[in-house]
Amino acid sequence: MKGARRQPPRRPSAGPAPAARNAPAARTAPAAPARDPLGRRLGGFATAAVVLFPPFVLAVAAKEAFRLPKLLASGWLALLAVFFLSWLLRGAGRVRPADLWRATALRGILPLLLVGTVSLWTTDHPLHARSAIADLWIGAAALVAWSLALGTRRLEGLLRLLLLPAAALGLIGILQFSGLAVLPFESLAAGSRLAITSLAGNPGDLGAYLVLPVLIAQWVLARRPTGGRRLAAGLALAVSLAALALTQTLAALAAVVAGSLVFWLLRLPRRRTVPALAVAAGLAVLLVAAVPPLRQRAVEKVGQALRGDLNAALTGRLDGWNTAVWMLREHPLAGVGQGAYRPEFIPAKVALLDRGVPFFPGQNQVVFANAHNEILEVGADLGIPGLLALGWALWTLGTALARRGKDGQGGQDGDRAFAWGGAVALLVLALAQFPFRIALVAFPALLFLAWVCRRPDEAAAEEEEEGETGGIPGRILVWPVALAVLLALAGQTDRWRDRLTASRTLRQVEVLTMAAASSGQAPRGLLPANLEALRQAAALDPLEVGIPIARGSIFYLLGSPQSALDAYRQAEALEPRPEIDLNIGRALLQSGQTEEARAAFRRAVRLAPHLAPVVPSGML
């Protein structure tokens, strides 16, 4: 089935034009009606805020200062945009199921959305699933609303707007790498890979975020703009590419190279293909050679691959892939649940260790929160039905891409080349990272996909087939849709407030508890007050595993091993981790259960060998 079908041509006997027939208008998309420009304008402003605002959002005092605030802010602004755009339904005439099914974005995402939602009733981790499903619905709503209600040129303008925050974050990262303390809490050594975190939080997130802006800048320059626009695009490209190179994120660099090659191969005449490939290869080699840390990392990875140590060359990614495949095999019909890969990682790792599967020894790769492969993680989360739904979504996207270049959509300004190049870059990134699980990357990617799915001639598709009736009038449908989005917006507001409050409380308690543990004493009443603060934080964010861990540590300091064990067991049930086993061992040892403590210590060290030095003597 094709991505977005045109309305069938009117028969010669149909008479005058639809407007003259005064028949009810059946629209493929409740989009861009001329009589409600305010909703479209406000929706465009809110969408621009999704592009400009979240990259700069952080919560310095919170436990999770980067990803969580960006996720909550992006979701809130996206829902705000959907709310404004939903009012365009008032001018949509009659909306029929067939009309909605013709919408490429909705048709592509709907099966995945349904399978993900059903997993709430099949998973053993309802808290994780509930949070992940909420994010899935927000992203799907934004994708559909943007593709249907925002015009092609407006979407292009929003994509170009992405160059501004990308250049800003890239510049901050370059200054960090040079040793300038741009952020008040940045204390990493200059020149190291981890120093270039910018406002993304870590180099991997920053590298993934810069992929799409690098391609957008090339797209803008390929249109041969004049004056300030050319200068701005050139500067954004240079800064973003330099920052991307300094992150040394090879997956992001591979995505940029692949996307750029596809873009220029489609953009240039065939006679220039070979020279273009030669120039691209030369530029890639020059980029690697010009950045010593990147050159060193690339040489190291190539050496590891040549020695046959593929997992080291992939920085432990095989661990994430192997555990995802194990989950799929163990739960083929329903998966572990949307968003439940993280709490299922340790059980999967234990099972694979029992089979003799080796794991990467790196300290930072002990626990994977994501599979580092979007396709495998969908299989782990949602089983075979999820993979089929994802396959349908990719097929639908492929039909939208194939439509580029037909009916004048390719144009002479490289739109078709950019559509294919961006899609290839996102696919490469999704095979080695998790771009759609990070709000900083996901929402710009959704905006790009909305542009791909949007047909420039979609306004012409508002005509109806002669004689078609039925459907729900848009002026009636708008009220339940707007109300549902408004309720979701209110829920996201509460979620934003509650989760950030809990994260700030957790960080404050951890700092105070560590100070008390290091000094050997604490002001009277401090630890009980922290327990009360953690109780309130747990009510606000029951998904945060750090809260029961912190509560157990306070009970341990108070000399209440049984209460500490109860808290640690709660944390282990929520999300198993080797450090929880370590803490369980300490609490058991404090209560005199030596053999049980030894078993817990051994479990911790088996999962995380770097914990061995902190295990009490004689316990291994």
Side-chain angles (χ1 to χ4, degrees):
M1 182 178 291
K2 297 192 175 182
R5 196 177 61 209
R6 288 190 178 198
Q7 292 285 356
R10 291 190 297 276
R11 294 185 291 273
S13 60
R21 290 201 307 264
N22 202 24
R27 309 214 171 157
T28 301
R35 64 181 184 182
D36 193 2
L38 182 61
R40 187 165 62 253
R41 190 179 307 122
L42 293 176
F45 288 154
T47 306
V50 176
V51 173
L52 294 174
F53 181 61
F56 302 97
V57 173
L58 53 92
V60 179
K63 172 73 173 180
E64 173 53 81
F66 296 97
R67 283 184 182 172
L68 180 61
K70 288 174 169 53
L71 172 65
L72 297 172
S74 297
W76 192 90
L77 289 169
L79 284 174
L80 183 64
V82 174
F83 174 73
F84 287 135
L85 295 174
S86 68
W87 289 100
L88 300 177
L89 281 168
R90 287 186 298 170
R94 289 185 174 273
V95 180
R96 297 181 299 271
D99 299 329
L100 297 175
W101 187 249
R102 292 188 190 106
T104 305
L106 181 59
R107 185 172 70 250
I109 197 64
L110 186 59
L112 190 60
L113 191 63
L114 295 177
V115 174
T117 303
V118 169
S119 73
L120 180 61
W121 288 274
T122 61
T123 183
D124 293 330
H125 307 279
L127 291 176
H128 291 81
R130 190 177 300 122
S131 178
I133 290 170
D135 293 331
L136 178 63
W137 273 89
I138 292 172
L143 171 64
V144 173
W146 290 339
S147 67
L148 294 182
L150 295 178
T152 303
R153 297 308 169 192
R154 189 181 295 249
L155 287 169
E156 291 177 358
L158 290 167
L159 287 172
R160 291 194 296 269
L161 195 63
L162 186 61
L163 295 179
L164 296 178
L169 265 63
L171 182 59
I172 292 174
I174 293 171
L175 293 176
Q176 282 178 330
F177 190 83
S178 302
L180 298 179
V182 181
L183 302 178
F185 49 87
E186 198 276 323
S187 59
L188 297 170
S192 68
R193 178 174 183 253
L194 295 179
I196 182 167
T197 59
S198 187
L199 295 172
N202 67 60
D205 287 9
L206 178 61
Y209 172 67
L210 293 174
V211 168
L212 198 54
V214 168
L215 292 172
I216 292 172
Q218 296 179 68
W219 176 46
V220 173
L221 290 172
R223 293 184 166 192
R224 299 179 181 178
T226 58
R229 181 171 293 185
R230 175 186 296 178
L231 178 61
L235 288 176
L237 175 61
V239 171
S240 299
L241 195 56
L244 176 57
L246 290 177
T247 67
Q248 304 168 48
T249 308
L250 299 182
L253 288 166
V256 163
V257 170
S260 299
L261 281 176
V262 170
F263 173 79
W264 288 108
L265 286 175
L266 293 177
R267 181 73 179 85
L268 295 175
R270 290 185 179 181
R271 65 180 182 277
R272 299 183 182 178
T273 298
V274 174
L277 288 174
V279 171
L283 289 176
V285 172
L286 180 62
L287 179 65
V288 173
V291 182
L294 176 60
R295 181 177 67 245
Q296 181 179 355
R297 183 174 172 83
V299 170
E300 177 188 5
K301 295 299 180 184
V302 170
Q304 291 169 340
L306 292 177
R307 292 193 300 270
D309 193 353
L310 183 59
N311 202 14
L314 294 170
T315 322
R317 281 176 171 80
L318 277 182
D319 298 346
W321 301 351
N322 287 334
T323 50
V325 171
W326 182 88
M327 294 178 203
L328 176 60
R329 288 175 177 172
E330 292 295 312
H331 309 275
L333 297 181
V336 296
Q338 180 72 17
Y341 173 88
R342 182 170 185 162
E344 286 288 338
F345 174 80
I346 289 298
K349 183 175 182 178
V350 171
L352 291 175
L353 286 172
D354 290 341
R355 298 179 184 178
V357 177
F359 276 73
F360 188 64
Q363 180 174 341
N364 294 330
Q365 282 75 33
V366 171
V367 178
F368 274 57
N370 299 100
H372 286 70
N373 184 301
E374 293 281 9
I375 296 175
L376 290 179
E377 188 158 354
V378 168
D381 283 355
L382 304 177
I384 294 175
L387 288 177
L388 292 175
L390 178 61
W392 169 258
L394 293 175
W395 171 263
T396 305
L397 176 63
T399 60
L401 289 169
R403 201 172 59 228
R404 292 281 166 178
K406 298 179 180 179
D407 305 321
Q409 293 186 62
Q412 298 180 354
D413 41 13
D415 289 358
R416 173 173 174 266
F418 173 58
W420 278 98
V424 168
L426 288 177
L427 178 60
V428 171
L429 197 61
L431 293 176
Q433 284 191 315
F434 39 97
F436 291 95
R437 317 272 171 164
I438 307 171
L440 182 66
V441 185
F443 282 92
L446 290 174
L447 188 65
F448 166 77
L449 293 176
W451 173 76
V452 172
C453 293
R454 171 77 185 185
R455 294 190 59 148
D457 60 347
E458 220 151 19
E462 294 175 0
E463 300 175 0
E464 69 161 2
E465 254 186 286
E466 181 184 7
E468 286 191 272
T469 58
I472 303 175
R475 64 181 182 277
I476 296 176
L477 185 62
V478 65
W479 295 106
V481 171
L483 179 60
V485 178
L486 187 61
L487 291 175
L489 189 59
Q492 182 70 2
T493 302
D494 290 341
R495 191 179 178 214
W496 188 349
R497 181 194 63 233
D498 292 348
R499 295 196 68 180
L500 283 188
T501 300
S503 188
R504 292 190 186 99
T505 300
L506 176 59
R507 178 175 174 81
Q508 182 181 13
V509 168
E510 285 182 341
V511 171
L512 294 174
T513 303
M514 290 178 62
S518 60
S519 64
Q521 58 183 357
R524 184 177 180 85
L526 174 61
L527 295 182
N530 285 346
L531 285 173
E532 175 59 24
L534 289 174
R535 185 192 66 79
Q536 297 176 6
L540 295 174
D541 188 5
L543 188 60
E544 176 51 65
V545 69
I547 294 174
I549 294 176
R551 189 167 64 248
S553 299
I554 292 176
F555 280 125
Y556 178 80
L557 291 175
L558 289 172
S560 301
Q562 189 55 50
S563 297
L565 273 173
D566 292 341
Y568 291 142
R569 298 292 188 196
Q570 181 185 354
E572 187 178 41
L574 182 63
E575 188 177 311
R577 291 183 178 184
E579 61 266 29
I580 297 177
D581 283 322
L582 180 69
N583 288 329
I584 288 174
R586 288 169 174 167
L588 288 169
L589 190 61
Q590 189 182 61
S591 66
Q593 303 177 62
T594 305
E595 290 305 315
E596 292 84 349
R598 182 176 285 112
F601 286 133
R602 286 173 177 171
R603 286 197 307 271
V605 172
R606 186 188 186 203
L607 293 169
H610 71 276
L611 295 178
V614 299
V615 173
S617 177
M619 285 291 105
L620 291 178

